[in-house]
Amino acid sequence: MEAGGHPGGSPEAEAAVACEAFRLLRIEPSALGPGAGREGSAARGSRNALRKRRRWERVVAARRGKRRQERERSRARRAEGAGAGSRAGERAAAALARERLLEARVSGPRLCVDLGVADRMSQKETSRLASQIRRLYGANRKAQKPFWLCLTEFVEGSLIYEECFRMNDGFSNYLMDMTPESFLDLFPLDAIVYLTPDSENVLEDIDPNKVYILGGLVDESIHKKLTLQRAHEQSLQTARLPIREYMVKTISTKNYHSETLAINQVFDVLSTYYETRSWPAALKAGVSSGKGYVLPDAVKQVEIPQHDNAQENSFIL
């Protein structure tokens, strides 16, 4: 082999090239052992060098992996530092919400969900009610002026009891009262207002000294005037939301109109009114257009041609 590395050069030249390659791979030339210049020894040295080169490549790969892991840990620490500020904000917000709820326990209006009628529902309806209770609690926890909540006739072992704990994570930590007792045994009768869509009385304001009762039934349940009958049996004051006083009926192919809302929807109305003192804003927050009612400013009059060439105005979305 010639000096340039072409075939025909001397064994000494080959050894020099090998030594330089080993130096670049950080392998001592002595690792080849004596007699490396001879052809047999050179072959063995080449095999040893190959093994060491592969071992060195594994070391380099491990170092690269370690550096990559260090970079990932560094990014994670930076993200954790940023997240720490976010978590601190979340903890502060949670503490503030807790403070507002405890203040409502002392001086705020009370809202009870009467679960004494929950045994009239199916498994599916009971699950829906448990989900609505979760949403109601979540909305109250975020409210600037929360109510103090209470579940009455919440009997251990009942279907609604089991569904609430099954479906709602952290339910046992909800900051509200849960009692097997009836609301009739907890509050003065003259302080109770049972909210039912079948009442003839319109709810005009929210009094912090009153206790408002919602019947624990879901939308789909067909129990005509059940909550009204339950209230009348105890000579309780009743009221309904002022839906028909502030909203108008929409005309649709189904021509469906209902003032029956889910308990979390009723709460959205009550909560928004308690904060804003505006019934239109409150009803907009809790009454969906699917109920067949909308605020007057959400509709417009259009002319619809009739078969007798007469025209009439009708409200549509």
Side-chain angles (χ1 to χ4, degrees), residues 171-187:
F171 184 78
S172 60
N173 297 322
Y174 281 15
L175 201 56
M176 63 180 180
D177 288 330
M178 307 178 195
T179 175
E181 296 182 83
S182 168
F183 62 89
L184 297 170
D185 301 323
L186 298 174
F187 309 107

Side-chain angles (χ1 to χ4, degrees), residues 86 111 163 167 176 184 239 309:
S86 176
L111 183 72
E163 287 299 283
M167 297 184 60
M176 63 180 180
L184 297 170
N309 295 326

Side-chain angles (χ1 to χ4, degrees), residues 3-48:
H6 298 288
S10 66
E12 289 79 11
E14 292 179 357
V17 172
C19 288
E20 178 62 18
F22 298 150
R23 186 186 66 78
L24 293 176
L25 292 172
R26 300 186 181 181
I27 301 174
E28 293 295 333
S30 59
L32 295 176
R38 291 189 291 270
E39 293 183 0
S41 298
R44 288 193 297 272
S46 297
R47 289 195 294 272
N48 291 336

Side-chain angles (χ1 to χ4, degrees), residues 83 134 222 249 288:
R134 180 185 69 249
I222 307 301
K249 292 181 178 180
S288 68

Side-chain angles (χ1 to χ4, degrees), residues 79-101:
E80 183 178 356
S86 176
R87 287 194 295 272
E90 291 175 358
R91 287 193 294 269
L96 184 59
R98 179 181 179 85
E99 182 179 339
R100 288 196 297 261
L101 287 172

